[in-house]
Structures are given as structure tokens and as C-alpha cells.
Amino acid sequence: MILADEQATAALGAALAGVARAGDVVTLSGPLGVGKTALARGFIAALGHQGEVPSPSFAIVQPYEDLRIPVWHVDLYRLRDPSELDEIGLDASAEGALLVEWPEQGGGGHWPDALALSLDFAEAGARRLTAKVPPPWEARWPIR
């Protein structure tokens, strides 16, 4: 899928929020500046958040609990070792959803049922999105 610009990336996040369920995990991979946080902002805004959505790079976890579905926006970029993920205690809960940027920093296999999205730079400022769609997401993907 090609996303023309940051607005298209945020719009995809909003569309994902429209089909999101409690217990969902969406992982966001790709290089710095590719739009992972823009997608997360669209997702969180579509669920009812009206304020800023800062990148959780330094906080690591930014909770948004007063939404239609509570969301924990996570950025694992600063993890030095995958074992640090255990200390954070992230689990998809039945009541909320996880958006995880830089999931590869946590090692592999933490969220086998996650919708794994990967963004990369494309021509003319666009982004190329690829998705690994697990069984819990098959009926909801591709987003229309």
C-alpha cells in the first residue's frame, strides 16, 4: 500500500481505530521519520483523544485511558536489551490496545497476534506500507 503523505498515514491510523478491538496489538516498524508516530496519532485521535499525542520515545509508554478503547502507545527505540521489555510489563489486555513502535528492539515473538505494519520511504515523499496480517485481523484487513 502506498501512502501519499503524512495526512494519508494519519488517515490510515484513523481507519485502523475504526476496526480496533480491546486486546489488539499493532506493531509499527520502519526507519526514523517514516511516519510511525503519525499513524499512531491518527489512531489515537480517532478514538477520541483531543490533545497532543507526543512520541513516547523518552517516556517509553504513553497511556490514553479515557478513549473508546484505552490505548497504550509504546516506543521501544531506547531499549538497550530485549530483557528490558519484561520490566515494562506490557501485555495486551482485554480492556485496551497496544500500539508498539520499534517492536524489533524488544526481540521477537512478543506479540504473535499483532497486526505488524512496516513503513518505508517511497518516491516523492510517499510511504510504502506492508502488513503481516495474523488470523485475528484477517476479517478486518485491508482497511477500506
Side-chain angles (χ1 to χ4, degrees):
M1 176 184 301
I2 299 294
L3 302 168
D5 53 25
E6 186 173 334
Q7 290 77 19
T9 304
L12 176 65
L16 278 172
V19 298
R21 301 175 184 155
D24 281 344
V25 178
V26 177
T27 62
L28 304 168
S29 297
L32 283 170
V34 78
K36 297 178 294 294
T37 301
L39 193 148
R41 286 180 178 134
F43 186 97
I44 292 164
L47 289 173
H49 183 72
Q50 296 181 4
E52 268 189 67
V53 177
S55 172
S57 291
F58 292 101
I60 299 179
V61 179
Q62 180 66 46
Y64 297 90
E65 297 180 347
D66 295 331
L67 305 178
R68 179 177 62 82
I69 299 169
V71 174
W72 293 272
H73 183 193
V74 181
D75 187 325
L76 301 180
Y77 181 75
R78 294 186 325 114
L79 289 189
R80 290 191 170 107
D81 187 274
S83 66
E84 293 178 78
L85 188 56
D86 296 332
E87 296 172 24
I88 297 170
L90 295 176
D91 291 318
S93 73
E95 65 216 35
L98 285 176
L99 292 178
V100 183
E101 296 186 39
W102 298 95
E104 55 280 352
Q105 293 294 102
H110 285 286
W111 300 285
D113 290 329
L115 175 64
L117 302 179
S118 181
L119 292 157
D120 205 349
F121 295 104
E123 301 76 34
R127 303 301 192 253
R128 181 175 297 105
L129 179 126
T130 56
K132 180 181 166 212
V133 183
W137 280 92
E138 287 175 350
R140 298 179 276 165
W141 187 266
I143 302 299
R144 300 185 200 317

